[in-house]
Amino acid sequence: MEDEQTTTGSKLAALRRLMRKDENDVQTYIVPSGDQHSSEYTADCDGRRAFISNFTGSAGIAVITLGQANLFTDGRYFLQASQQLDSNWTLQKQGIKDVPTWQEYLEKKIPHPNRVGVDPRLLPAPEAESLSTKLKMKGSSLVPLSANLVDEVWGSSRPPRPASRVFALTNDYTGRSVEEKLKEIREKLKELDAYAVVVSMLDEVAWLFNLRGSDIAYNPVFFAYAIVSRTDATLFINEEQLDESARAYIKDLASIKPYEDILAHAASLSDARVPISWSVSDSAIEQKILISKLASWALLKAIGEEEISIASPVADAKAIKNDVEIEGFRHCHIRDGAALAQYFSWLEEQIAQGVELTEYQAAEKLEGFRSKLDLYRGLSFTTISSTGPNCAIIHYSPDPKESAAIKRDQIYLCDSGAQYLDGTTDVTRTWHFGTPSSEEIRAFTRVLQGHIAIDTCVFPQGLSILLRDAFARRALWKEGLDYRHGTGHGVGHFLNVHEGPQGVGTRIAYNETPLKAGMTLSNEPGYYEDGKFGIRIENVGVVKPAQTPNQFDERGYLTFEHFTMCPIQTKLVDVSLLTSEEKEWLNAYHSEVYEKVSPSLQKIGEALAIEWLKKECAAI
Ligand code: ZN
Ligand code: ZN
């Protein structure tokens, strides 16, 4: 007998039997890693790619033919995938020369004609459409199968879909009622000549109805869809998840239907649509139905492909935070700052005393400090707690069972964050508990200069984000250095720590979304020396109007307000490289941190943390 945990042979054999069955009749089967909502993090029941391949990384796609099983993943996961995949699998290293992407593999490496099966709920519509066109040109077809073949193999051992309690977030935290949000979305529908929007992203549904849950780790969301038309709103959810108060107010605003009914209702949308004339002429306007770019192929097919326009007005509305949300962000970042001061002062003392501490043990201590804070609702992602060479691994997280001991003579990088009812935090600080090398100091100083450049940047509305991204890299480029990640991502309000569509970086999506006042973003330049050390300095903040003496072209000028309140280690700064403005910025930031964070530390009588804060916030 094969051990099911370690080898995938029997699972693949069962899958191939299903592929051959008359009702399926496919020679190739695609197993994407996402869920029906294109969530960044997924629940265990949606871990199909991990189940079939044993590879547990967050990114990767499996393509299984009758004779071969391939796993496609990127550079972050080569090592992990090669350890987890057994001999039934071929690892296709994405980004390496001459290795095909999974789409190229389907186009060029499988025999044609070929029927390629996929669960259409798990593939974003634009991706499926483009693949389908390419396969058609080869005489093959992308076949949407209504049953998920991996689920059939998984059978009764597949974990159930989570059903966490869903609760209402009051207007004191959201700043806007659901009525107001629905009204705004309906105005958008009119503006866009649209009849309805199908909301498929989990954070968009949560935002729209002022509800939160905990179906997915780190993201306070729950499994649901919504349809908002010019006249009605429907929430598709397992009704039992709604707590008493949530159910009471939703009932007045929207009809509640079972989660599974979404596709049937989406299909009936086209018929339900009554042409209404919004223009002066009486002729009926062809009204569109809107879905998100990340909505599934199944949803697109259900709605009817010709009539839709792919855009979600909900995502755009959610991205602009209101004054209550912004005030919440300010408050939770000050509380978060107190936990960071407790943690980093504790850690420094432990290391100085020669206590042996692993990266994982340290991360747990930080979680402990945060969990005592008001309005705390859990972490916003897995803590990155890393020492020395591990700091250079951008998506590193320490293994609970074995992680490195934090060393006094190496850089320590900690990227962490939490969920609070009034906001979400995400902060990175880099420390050295001994004597840093001149190479480390120089790189840290250049990263800091990039961070300051973004924090202080004043720019006209509509400026190319690429240009703004360059501000963060300018100081590093002078040294011939750079980093391989974006400079900033959107941050949700007590929602996902990575929130689209706004961001700063080289991604195309970012450049399609001009920054606007009220958008919350991270500012996180870094530098990584493989095998040696890594540096990142990350604050979260909000885009706000800038007070400029002039208004050239009346474009409106914007700047950034930081929320994050944690010292930046001056021991790692080469002051001689800083301009006087940069020096002033650092001193002003530190006095602001001390002023805002020390009162709450005083309240709980944290002498060690207060001493530490005073030392780290001292002027240079
Ligand atoms: Zn971060
Ligand atoms: Zn971040």
Side-chain angles (χ1 to χ4, degrees), residues 518-538:
M519 284 181 169
T520 38
L521 286 167
S522 70
N523 167 11
E524 50 180 308
Y527 174 68
Y528 310 90
E529 186 87 37
D530 282 347
K532 283 189 178 166
F533 64 87
I535 291 161
R536 186 158 64 250
I537 304 171
E538 175 182 26

Side-chain angles (χ1 to χ4, degrees), residues 415 426 489 498 522 524 538:
D415 186 351
D426 176 8
H489 53 81
H498 292 155
S522 70
E524 50 180 308
E538 175 182 26

Side-chain angles (χ1 to χ4, degrees), residues 130-160:
S130 114
L131 180 63
S132 173
T133 310
K134 283 177 188 153
L135 288 176
K136 260 183 211 152
M137 277 153 54
K138 295 273 178 182
S140 295
S141 54
L142 186 64
V143 185
L145 296 177
S146 52
N148 187 295
L149 304 189
V150 175
D151 288 356
E152 286 187 27
V153 175
W154 210 342
S156 59
S157 51
R158 180 171 169 238

